[in-house]
């Protein structure tokens, strides 16, 4: 029990290193046979076996069977309630340039009627400047408030925002 608990704790801290070393072994079965899950389940099986042996008068074979069922239940609970949601979680707060459609900003480099300029867009995820072209093919001067109409080929197509 203590050995599997120690290995589970070590793999918690050195999980990336172990994952790199055992990458080929666990690639074929995916996240389902995660080493941390396996050693954690072994600790649950061992712990429940010790408790049932000490505090009940059940036969050792029944203790083993019950402990294995408890460990299997713990494995699936941890896998479906922790591993799957955590693997789907986003680690980045950045947004795609295509998410800027409909956002407002300001021209920082004048946009010629048939050329490119630069706009500054502020959002809750941070500020960014992007290349822009006039959607209406008109000159948009520096300092003008704009709205992003569409995004094509990593370029923002903007129009002057009126009514401000």
């Amino acid at each position: 029990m203590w050995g599997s608990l120690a290995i589970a704790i070590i793999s918690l801290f050195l999980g990336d290193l172990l994952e790199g070393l055992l990458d080929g072994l666990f690639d074929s079965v995916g996240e389902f046979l995660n080493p941390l899950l396996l050693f954690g389940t072994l600790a649950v099986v061992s712990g429940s076996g010790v408790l049932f042996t000490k505090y009940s008068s059940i036969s050792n074979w029944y203790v083993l069977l019950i402990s294995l069922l408890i460990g299997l239940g713990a494995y699936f609970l941890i896998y479906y309630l922790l591993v799957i949601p955590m693997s789907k979680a986003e680690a980045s707060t950045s947004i795609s340039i295509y998410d800027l459609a409909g956002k407002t900003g300001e021209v920082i480099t004048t946009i010629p009627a048939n050329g490119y300029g630069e706009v500054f867009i502020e959002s809750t995820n941070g500020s960014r400047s992007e290349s822009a072209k006039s959607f209406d093919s008109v000159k948009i001067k520096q300092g003008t408030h704009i709205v992003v109409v569409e995004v094509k080929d990593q370029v923002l197509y903007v129009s002057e925002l009126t009514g401000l």
Side-chain angles (χ1 to χ4, degrees), residues 1-2 43-56 63 67:
M1 179 176 108
W2 293 110
V44 169
V45 169
S46 305
S48 61
V50 167
L51 291 174
F52 277 115
T53 301
K54 186 170 184 172
Y55 296 111
S56 74
V63 167
S67 298

Side-chain angles (χ1 to χ4, degrees), residues 1-12 18 22 26 33-47 75 78:
M1 179 176 108
W2 293 110
S4 63
L5 185 61
I7 291 172
I9 291 172
I10 289 170
S11 67
L12 177 67
L18 289 174
L22 302 174
F26 290 105
L33 289 180
N34 184 319
L36 182 60
L37 276 174
L38 291 175
F39 293 125
T41 301
L42 188 56
V44 169
V45 169
S46 305
Y75 185 90
I78 293 169

Side-chain angles (χ1 to χ4, degrees), residues 84-125:
I84 290 177
M86 294 297 281
S87 68
K88 293 180 181 177
E90 294 263 346
S92 173
T93 58
S94 65
I95 60 171
S96 166
I97 192 170
Y98 296 99
D99 295 332
L100 296 177
K103 302 286 186 196
T104 59
E106 183 178 338
V107 177
I108 56 176
T109 304
T110 299
I111 304 171
N114 291 317
Y116 293 91
E118 192 171 3
V119 295
F120 181 74
I121 309 280
E122 281 191 67
S123 70
T124 56
N125 295 340

Side-chain angles (χ1 to χ4, degrees), residues 152-163:
K152 278 196 283 187
D153 300 325
Q154 303 291 321
V155 176
L156 304 180
Y157 284 80
V158 300
S159 287
E160 185 174 344
L161 189 60
T162 56

